[in-house]
Amino acid sequence: MAAKTSFSCGVSLDVTAATALQSRLQKALKKSSTIELKVDAVEKADTAGLQLLLALAREVGDVGGRLIWKKPSKVLIDAACLLGIDQELGLS
């Protein structure tokens, strides 16, 4: 298993991208339990996208891994704060 897998979330972290994103995240998790999420380009984030990240964070935690946030965008941080999951995601 790789020491770390880097993963770009792209511009949209919303319901339209959730299914494809979930598939890509699961593949990344199979490579490593430590995932670096590049989220600096996120311009749109909704509940579906954040639920996906929350599920990933929990799954990574369950296997003893960790998420590394690479330059989280203000949009992402604000959306996580609005939903009250910023601390659980490690974004606060």
Side-chain angles (χ1 to χ4, degrees):
M1 199 176 261
K4 173 177 73 173
T5 299
S6 292
F7 184 87
S8 176
C9 290
V11 176
S12 293
L13 189 57
D14 62 6
V15 70
T16 62
T19 301
L21 190 58
Q22 180 183 21
S23 176
R24 292 176 51 219
L25 285 169
Q26 287 301 314
K27 288 178 185 175
L29 190 55
K30 287 180 183 177
K31 293 179 183 177
S32 175
S33 61
T34 300
I35 298 178
E36 178 183 75
L37 291 173
K38 297 176 183 177
V39 289
D40 57 323
V42 174
E43 296 175 359
K44 184 178 179 184
D46 68 9
T47 304
L50 288 166
Q51 283 177 323
L52 181 60
L53 292 181
L54 186 59
L56 174 69
R58 289 177 178 167
E59 191 170 349
V60 165
D62 288 348
V63 297
R66 68 186 186 115
L67 287 181
I68 301 168
W69 298 97
K70 204 68 164 167
K71 300 179 184 177
S73 72
K74 182 170 177 10
V75 169
L76 176 63
I77 293 170
D78 288 349
C81 289
L82 184 64
L83 293 174
I85 60 172
D86 53 312
Q87 288 185 7
E88 191 169 354
L89 287 174
L91 289 170
S92 58

